[in-house]
Amino acid sequence: MKFSLRRPFGLSAVALLSACAACSATDGPAGPAVPTPSARQAVLCRALHGELPAEVDGLRKRATDPVSDFTAAWGGGPSVTLRCGVPKSAVVARATNAVEIDGISWVPEELRDGSVRCTTVLREASVEVTLPKETSGGFGALSDLAEAIRRTIPEGIAG
């Protein structure tokens, strides 16, 4: 009786290579973490996703990984990223430093890596935009997103 070690090894190698290929199949940088909005917020966030501009602050919109109606990204790396339907952070809940840009109130929060996370306030769904350190000096991306947010996320309290 002959035993072949090739076949089991061959199958293991194929499985291993397939797993590695699946892990590295993305074309660009990963996208932001996908939030879990309430049912009402999900409807609003999907509407926002359909209205997002192709370009913000001179950066082209790109696919995110994972693909979601609740996230978006512009630029390669570093990227401007958007998450819709995020829970209010403690910083946003106690903020007194909201800034208004083109009719949308934002609470900016400087992150450890030098980027700035800006979260909408007084909207039925919270929208979070992270500006990389390289672009956070100007808020052009927030201005570019304002019209889409005004059209799709009504004023009110996120809940």
Side-chain angles (χ1 to χ4, degrees), residues 63-90:
T64 57
D65 181 25
V67 174
S68 171
D69 287 342
F70 308 137
T71 63
W74 293 265
S79 300
V80 170
T81 59
L82 177 145
R83 298 182 338 127
C84 184
V86 296
K88 266 191 195 165
S89 71

Side-chain angles (χ1 to χ4, degrees), residues 36-42 44 85-88 123-126 156-159:
T36 310
S38 69
R40 167 75 174 138
Q41 291 173 345
L44 298 172
V86 296
K88 266 191 195 165
R123 294 279 159 181
E124 288 186 22
S126 294
I157 304 298

Side-chain angles (χ1 to χ4, degrees), residues 119-142:
T119 308
T120 60
V121 291
L122 305 176
R123 294 279 159 181
E124 288 186 22
S126 294
V127 177
E128 172 189 284
V129 175
T130 302
L131 308 169
K133 176 173 60 173
E134 294 79 2
T135 63
S136 60
F139 292 96
L142 302 181

Side-chain angles (χ1 to χ4, degrees), residues 28-156:
V34 178
T36 310
S38 69
R40 167 75 174 138
Q41 291 173 345
V43 169
L44 298 172
C45 291
R46 284 186 184 99
L48 173 62
H49 195 267
E51 296 288 324
L52 291 173
E55 190 174 293
V56 298
D57 205 24
L59 301 171
R60 301 282 313 152
K61 189 174 179 194
R62 66 170 174 83
T64 57
D65 181 25
V67 174
S68 171
D69 287 342
F70 308 137
T71 63
W74 293 265
S79 300
V80 170
T81 59
L82 177 145
R83 298 182 338 127
C84 184
V86 296
K88 266 191 195 165
S89 71
V91 171
V92 171
R94 66 175 185 267
T96 59
N97 63 332
V99 294
E100 187 173 313
I101 298 174
D102 293 337
I104 305 294
S105 293
W106 300 89
V107 172
E109 174 185 2
E110 188 170 353
L111 304 178
R112 289 185 181 164
D113 66 359
S115 61
V116 176
R117 178 173 46 218
C118 299
T119 308
T120 60
V121 291
L122 305 176
R123 294 279 159 181
E124 288 186 22
S126 294
V127 177
E128 172 189 284
V129 175
T130 302
L131 308 169
K133 176 173 60 173
E134 294 79 2
T135 63
S136 60
F139 292 96
L142 302 181
S143 184
D144 292 342
L145 293 166
E147 180 65 25
I149 293 170
R150 272 195 316 273
R151 281 195 307 246
T152 58
I153 311 288
E155 290 185 12

